[in-house]
Amino acid sequence: MEPWLALLLWVSALSSSFSLPASPRPSLVPQVRTSYNFGRTFLGLDKCNACIGTSICKKFFKEEIRFDKRLAPHLGLPPDYLLSYPANYSDDSKTWRPVEIFRLLSKYQNEISDRRICASVSAPKTCSIEYVLRKTGRFQKWLQAKRLTPDLVQGLPSPLLRCPSQRLLDRVVRRYAEVADAGSIFMDHFTDRDKLRLLYTLAVNAHPILLQIFPGAEGWPLPKYLGSCGRFLVSTSTRPLQEFYSAPPDQAADLAYQLLGVLESLRSNDLNYFFYFTYIEADMFGIFNNGHLFIRDASTLGVIDKQEGSQAATRAGENKDIFSCLVSGCQAQLPSCDTVPEKQSLVLVCQQLLPRLLQKRFPSPVQEEIDSALAQCGQGAHPDSEVLGAASRLKDILRPLRTCDPRFAYRYPDCKYNDKF
C-alpha cells in the first residue's frame, strides 16, 4: 500500500478495510492494518473533504508528515488511545525534523462528544456529525456573519473566549492559517467549510488557534504551528517538563527561571493582553533540544484584553448549545473576567510545578532562600503585590545558579559575553 493512502485513511472518516501487501516497501510511514480506521475518532468530522485544502492535509498528501516508524510498527497506525504521537516533518521532502501529532481530545472525550451531538437531535448513537452541526442556530449565524463578533462565540467553553474583545476576535480571523488570503478581519473569503472548521476548533480546544494568533516567531512562548484540523494538531516536538524533575541543579534553576519569565511575559507584553492559566500540569510545558522552555499545551490559557476591554461573560444558561458541550458539561459557570487576579498563574506554578524542580536541590543557605520565596509565591490568599514580589525575588536567586555552557544552546554562547543571557 502506498504511504499517501495510509495517510489519507488517517485523516478521513471513511470506514474502509485494506490488506497489507506481502512485502511492504520500506517507509517511515507504517502500513495500515486490516480494519484499522482513525478518521472519525481523530477528526470529529464525518468526511475527508472536511479537511481538504488545509495545510495539514497538503502535508500528508505530499508525504511530508510521517509517523515515527519505531512507534508500534506491528500495528500499522499507532494505537488510538494515546494523546500524542512522534512523527517526522519536512518542508522539502529532503530534510526532516521531529514533530508531535496531538489529540485535542482524549478518545473517551471523543466518544462522549459524538454521543452528545447525536443526542442533541434525538438521533441514535451514531449520526452525521457535520450534518447536525451545520443545522445548529449558532452555525447558521456564522454563515451569515461578515465578521467574528463576541455574540458568535459566547457560551463556548474555551478560556480564550471567556470574555472576548473585538480586537482579539479580529486577530483570530486575520491570522487563521487554514484559509486562503488570510489577513483580513472580515470573513468574506471563508467558505462554509472554513467557518465550520474554525468554530469546531474553538469549541473543542483553542490551542491550535493560540499558536496561530500568538506565534513563537514573534516572541511568544509557544511552539511553531504546523497544521490542524478537527481534533488533531501537528506541532514542533518538545520534551515535557516532568522529564526534567531529576535534572542537575543548574538545569533545574534554568528551567525554573525560564518558567517564571514566561509567566511574566504573559502578564505584561507590548500588545496589552493578559494571559492566565485556569489549570496547570507539568506536561503543559515543554523543552526544545536547545534547552528553551515553551508552553506545550495552551488549552487552559485565558486571555483578557487590557487595551480594549472584554465583553462580560454571559449569565449561566445563556447562549448554550451543542458547541458549548463538546468537551465538558453544559452547566459550567463563567465568572467575571474582573475576578481573575494577576497572581493566578504564578500561584499555580509555585504550588504545583516549581517545588518539584527546586526543592532539596541546592546547598544552604540558598535552598532556604528558594524555599521561602516559593512558599510566599504560592500563597493564593496573599495580595497580588506580595506574590509578584516573591516571584521576582525567586528569579533573582535563580539567576546566578544558571551556568553558561552548550547544554543551554538557546542562550549560548551569548551568555559568555552578555550578562543578559
Side-chain angles (χ1 to χ4, degrees), residues 11-28:
V11 295
S12 74
L14 302 176
S15 298
S16 304
S17 297
F18 292 82
S19 300
L20 286 173
S23 302
R25 72 177 188 176
S27 171
L28 286 175

Side-chain angles (χ1 to χ4, degrees), residues 17 44 69 101 112 152 154 163 170 180-181 199-200 227 261 281 301 303 385 400 405-406 411:
S17 297
K69 64 181 179 180
I101 299 176
I112 295 297
L152 295 176
Q154 289 287 12
C163 307
D170 286 345
D181 302 321
L199 172 56
Y200 188 83
E281 287 185 349
L301 202 60
V303 182
S385 58
D405 64 61
R411 58 183 176 86

Side-chain angles (χ1 to χ4, degrees), residues 105-298:
L105 292 178
S106 69
K107 184 183 179 183
Y108 172 75
Q109 288 175 313
N110 289 343
E111 294 169 352
I112 295 297
S113 177
D114 290 351
R115 292 195 196 112
R116 284 178 177 154
I117 292 171
C118 295
S120 71
V121 291
S122 301
K125 290 184 179 180
T126 59
C127 64
S128 170
I129 293 174
E130 284 186 66
Y131 178 82
V132 173
L133 296 181
R134 283 177 177 274
K135 294 297 182 180
T136 60
R138 186 189 294 268
F139 185 65
Q140 292 303 309
K141 291 180 181 178
W142 272 62
L143 288 179
Q144 302 302 316
K146 299 295 184 182
R147 191 175 185 182
L148 185 58
T149 51
D151 62 295
L152 295 176
V153 298
Q154 289 287 12
L156 296 184
S158 169
L160 171 68
L161 304 172
R162 180 179 180 181
C163 307
S165 68
Q166 187 59 58
R167 184 171 73 120
L168 178 65
L169 295 180
D170 286 345
R171 191 176 181 89
V172 169
V173 172
R174 191 173 67 249
R175 294 190 167 218
Y176 185 50
E178 302 302 345
V179 295
D181 302 321
S184 171
I185 64 172
F186 298 102
M187 296 191 291
D188 296 331
H189 57 296
F190 277 52
T191 65
D192 293 1
R193 185 185 300 155
D194 294 333
K195 289 185 176 182
L196 179 60
R197 277 199 303 262
L198 176 56
L199 172 56
Y200 188 83
T201 302
L202 287 171
V204 168
N205 188 323
H207 175 64
I209 304 301
L210 280 158
L211 265 58
Q212 295 171 66
I213 65 177
F214 299 109
E218 295 178 6
W220 299 98
L222 294 164
K224 185 177 181 180
Y225 172 82
L226 298 175
S228 69
C229 187
R231 294 171 178 161
F232 74 97
L233 160 80
V234 178
S235 183
T236 311
S237 180
T238 60
R239 292 176 60 192
L241 180 64
Q242 63 264 35
E243 292 187 11
F244 295 84
Y245 280 163
S246 300
D250 61 339
Q251 189 174 24
D254 183 79
L255 292 175
Y257 185 89
Q258 287 190 73
L259 185 49
L260 291 170
V262 164
L263 298 186
E264 187 176 330
S265 70
L266 296 181
R267 194 171 60 252
S268 177
N269 50 75
D270 292 341
L271 291 185
N272 230 2
Y273 287 111
F274 167 51
F275 299 80
Y276 61 93
F277 282 96
T278 58
Y279 173 78
I280 275 183
E281 287 185 349
D283 61 3
M284 291 180 174
F285 297 91
I287 293 86
F288 290 131
N289 289 335
N290 65 358
H292 208 172
L293 181 143
F294 279 73
I295 298 171
R296 188 169 181 254
D297 177 0

Side-chain angles (χ1 to χ4, degrees), residues 255-360:
L255 292 175
Y257 185 89
Q258 287 190 73
L259 185 49
L260 291 170
V262 164
L263 298 186
E264 187 176 330
S265 70
L266 296 181
R267 194 171 60 252
S268 177
N269 50 75
D270 292 341
L271 291 185
N272 230 2
Y273 287 111
F274 167 51
F275 299 80
Y276 61 93
F277 282 96
T278 58
Y279 173 78
I280 275 183
E281 287 185 349
D283 61 3
M284 291 180 174
F285 297 91
I287 293 86
F288 290 131
N289 289 335
N290 65 358
H292 208 172
L293 181 143
F294 279 73
I295 298 171
R296 188 169 181 254
D297 177 0
S299 61
T300 68
L301 202 60
V303 182
I304 295 175
D305 190 336
K306 296 192 294 184
Q307 175 175 307
E308 185 178 291
S310 302
Q311 179 164 317
T314 56
R315 293 188 298 271
E318 292 185 358
N319 291 327
K320 296 287 186 179
D321 59 6
I322 187 56
F323 286 101
S324 309
C325 316
L326 294 181
V327 180
S328 58
C330 308
Q331 307 305 318
Q333 298 281 338
L334 294 178
S336 169
C337 291
D338 295 333
T339 65
V340 180
E342 280 193 88
K343 66 187 176 187
Q344 179 158 309
S345 298
L346 273 173
V347 170
L348 291 173
V349 165
C350 290
Q351 286 179 347
Q352 301 175 34
L353 304 186
L354 292 185
R356 301 291 300 274
L357 274 173
L358 299 176
Q359 285 183 345
K360 300 180 181 179

